[in-house]
Amino acid sequence: MPPSQETARSALPAGLRKPRTWSGHQIATLNPGCFALVMATGIISNTLFLEGHRELSDALFAFNAVAYPWLLLLTVLRFIRFRHAAWSDLIDPNLVFSFFTIVAGSDVFGVGLHLRGHASVALGLWLFALLIWFGLIYFSFAVLTFLNTVQGADVVHGAWLNAIVGTQSLVILGALIAPALGDLGGTVFVLLHMLWGVGLGLYGIFIALFAYRIFFSAVGPDDITPVLWVVMGAAAITTNAGSVLIVTDSAMPFLNSMRPFIDGVTLIMWAWATWWIPLLVLFGIWKHGIRRVPLTYTPMLWSMVFPLGMYALASRRLSLAADFPPLDAISQVMIWVALAAWAATAAGFVASSWTSFRAFRLSSAQ
């Protein structure tokens, strides 16, 4: 959403009584895409784990072990205490797809748990994420179909590609847990290949709309937001999911016959994700360097950090699937870029939270 919309999110929803505490205010105005924080932290932690940087990985995992249940609790409390505000976000075509960050955040955190030997908890998170995905996938498109208007949802601001990220995240965690499911493993592997195909189809639909909006319509500074990076992140996670399917033996000839197709598409998706990175950087330079828009903290910044970390992991996984080591060198560079972006965003989050707390106390004292 543009800055004007982000400012509106910091205000109380219409008809909602002002909460008496700062924490109540934060719950009432909680961004539906808040789990992007978990996604960004988790993907960097998982990549560092695979690259052998265990201490850094564990530190970020510990952060997520607090952040994930905390955000889950706040989300539940919001639906209980501030039902009107939560429902307003669910039926808003510009916001409903942001709830897919719950799916992706659960899966990314689940991968971190699985890497550390907590397979049963990871399975529980995958089932939870799958349930949320089934509920959201048709509800969100119903909202987009029946509640959108000509001047309504905009693919640039709507974070619609989070639907793809959530879908492909199910493939990645599912491929880790499927081999231990015994007779159900084959069924799960079929489902995972189906989900990968659904995510690929959704990307084809949304990227066409996205490219048309960006390249053939007027674009202003408010249109250039960190959410745009999800277009790269969605391609990167599709690459990651495809690479996982390639290297995981499903023991099913029917699925194994699909590998040549998955091989080719996975490489194309990585190339497509790579193509977007310089362009997205140019967008940021144009907004903040040429148009002089100040760079300030917004929760949407986590939607930029996650694609950077996902691109690093996707490059590593593709290097293994394609047996092409130079791609791993790209991963080793990009993970530190992602970690630097995470640190800067985390610092902005702390500073913004403190400023918000002080402002609330001052307004309450008047």
Side-chain angles (χ1 to χ4, degrees), residues 206-230:
F206 284 155
I207 194 60
L209 297 172
F210 182 90
Y212 180 83
R213 171 65 179 83
I214 284 289
F215 299 134
F216 299 101
S217 298
V219 173
D222 286 356
D223 296 317
I224 305 301
T225 72
V227 173
L228 295 187
W229 281 82
V230 179

Side-chain angles (χ1 to χ4, degrees), residues 45 48-49 52-62 116:
S45 173
L48 288 170
F49 186 97
H53 304 286
R54 186 63 184 267
E55 291 183 357
L56 269 175
S57 174
D58 287 346
L60 291 173
F61 177 80
R116 290 164 175 82

Side-chain angles (χ1 to χ4, degrees), residues 94-129:
N94 273 317
L95 294 175
V96 63
F97 287 96
S98 296
F99 285 96
F100 277 98
T101 59
I102 300 174
V103 177
S106 300
D107 286 324
V108 170
F109 184 52
V111 170
L113 286 166
H114 195 279
L115 289 173
R116 290 164 175 82
H118 304 289
S120 298
V121 183
L123 173 60
L125 281 177
W126 183 77
L127 292 173
F128 169 73

Side-chain angles (χ1 to χ4, degrees), residues 163-204:
I164 299 145
V165 175
T167 303
Q168 301 293 15
S169 70
L170 288 167
V171 177
I172 296 169
L173 179 55
L176 291 178
I177 64 175
L181 295 180
D183 293 338
L184 285 176
T187 302
V188 172
F189 272 119
V190 171
L191 174 62
L192 298 181
H193 283 73
M194 292 168 60
L195 288 171
W196 185 77
V198 169
L200 195 63
L202 290 176
Y203 193 86

Side-chain angles (χ1 to χ4, degrees), residues 32 47 49 66 105 148 164 208 220 239 260 298 312 325 332:
T47 307
F49 186 97
V66 175
N148 196 14
I164 299 145
T239 300
T298 165
Q332 293 178 20

Side-chain angles (χ1 to χ4, degrees), residues 88 90 204 306 343 347:
S88 295
L90 267 176
F306 172 75

